[in-house]
């Protein structure tokens, strides 16, 4: 018997509990890496989580999940910002699924890039300046640092903008 393949698919409002659980895992795993905190996320309503999960089916946005054997192991999303155009956000991969072996991160990124091509010819992201592993992944995938930086906030460290021409 072979191991189940990684499935990549858009999220919908009906996935709200899985989206919530993966976000809570992300916030517990890497506090300060996202725009909210674990206590803030825990306090959100079902309606909030349904809307967040609905990114995968909302015009102008995308949200995709990686699923392995029924377990949600990663997520990425994309939004359109006035200045940046298509922007990659909410990147999280369960620790056991990180790295090149299973290809979860790359598969999620390809799904977001496919969406980004429908709205423009670039995809940008903000990566924490001290996250060398993430920066190296994005560089291997064709992103480059633009020189724009975003200052440290109460929640996150200094971030660098990276851009990829699609």
């Amino acid at each position: 018997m072979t191991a189940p393949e990684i499935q990549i698919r858009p999220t919908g409002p009906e996935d709200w509990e899985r989206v919530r659980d993966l976000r809570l895992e992300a916030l517990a795993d890497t506090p300060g890496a996202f725009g909210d905190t674990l206590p803030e996320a825990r306090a959100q309503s079902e309606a909030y989580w349904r809307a967040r999960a609905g990114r995968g089916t909302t015009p102008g946005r995308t949200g995709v999940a990686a699923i392995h054997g029924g377990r949600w192991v990663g997520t990425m999303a994309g939004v359109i910002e006035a200045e940046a155009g298509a922007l990659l956000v909410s990147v999280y991969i369960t620790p056991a699924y990180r790295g090149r072996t299973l290809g979860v991160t790359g598969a999620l990124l390809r799904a977001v890039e496919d969406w980004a091509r429908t709205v423009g010819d670039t995809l940008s992201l903000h990566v924490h300046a001290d996250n060398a592993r993430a920066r190296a992944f994005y560089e291997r995938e064709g992103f480059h640092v633009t020189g724009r930086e975003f200052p440290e906030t109460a929640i996150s460290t200094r971030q660098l903008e990276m851009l990829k021409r699609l």
Side-chain angles (χ1 to χ4, degrees):
M1 184 162 72
T2 61
E5 290 186 29
I6 304 291
Q7 175 190 11
I8 305 296
R9 71 165 180 82
T11 61
E14 68 281 1
D15 298 316
W16 73 272
E17 290 172 296
R18 289 182 183 97
V19 168
R20 179 200 60 205
D21 292 348
L22 198 56
R23 182 63 170 196
L24 296 177
E25 177 185 321
L27 292 167
D29 178 69
T30 49
F34 301 97
D36 54 353
T37 66
L38 187 56
E40 290 168 344
R42 283 186 174 140
Q44 295 295 343
S45 67
E46 179 181 329
Y48 169 87
W49 291 110
R50 284 185 179 278
R52 186 179 184 96
R55 282 179 174 169
T57 57
T58 302
R61 296 176 170 258
T62 193
V64 291
I67 304 164
H68 184 242
R71 180 174 182 219
W72 285 46
V73 298
T75 186
M76 284 187 189
V79 297
I80 299 173
E81 284 201 343
E83 279 187 43
L87 179 68
L88 177 67
V89 296
S90 300
V91 175
Y92 178 72
I93 311 299
T94 297
Y97 288 81
R98 294 176 187 160
R100 298 183 199 183
T101 305
L102 296 172
V104 172
T105 312
L108 286 166
L109 180 59
R110 282 185 289 286
V112 174
E113 287 175 347
D114 288 345
W115 163 81
R117 283 184 192 91
T118 70
V119 298
D121 61 359
T122 62
L123 179 62
S124 64
L125 60 90
H126 302 163
V127 64
H128 295 276
D130 58 354
N131 190 340
R133 184 176 180 168
R135 287 177 58 191
F137 167 76
Y138 293 127
E139 287 170 353
R140 281 192 308 274
E141 294 292 327
F143 286 84
H144 67 275
V145 175
T146 67
R148 284 187 66 196
E149 295 187 11
F150 300 89
E152 187 170 338
T153 68
I155 295 174
S156 66
T157 60
R158 182 175 61 97
Q159 297 182 37
L160 308 175
E161 180 182 63
M162 297 184 82
L163 179 77
K164 179 177 182 176
R165 295 239 172 256
L166 304 170

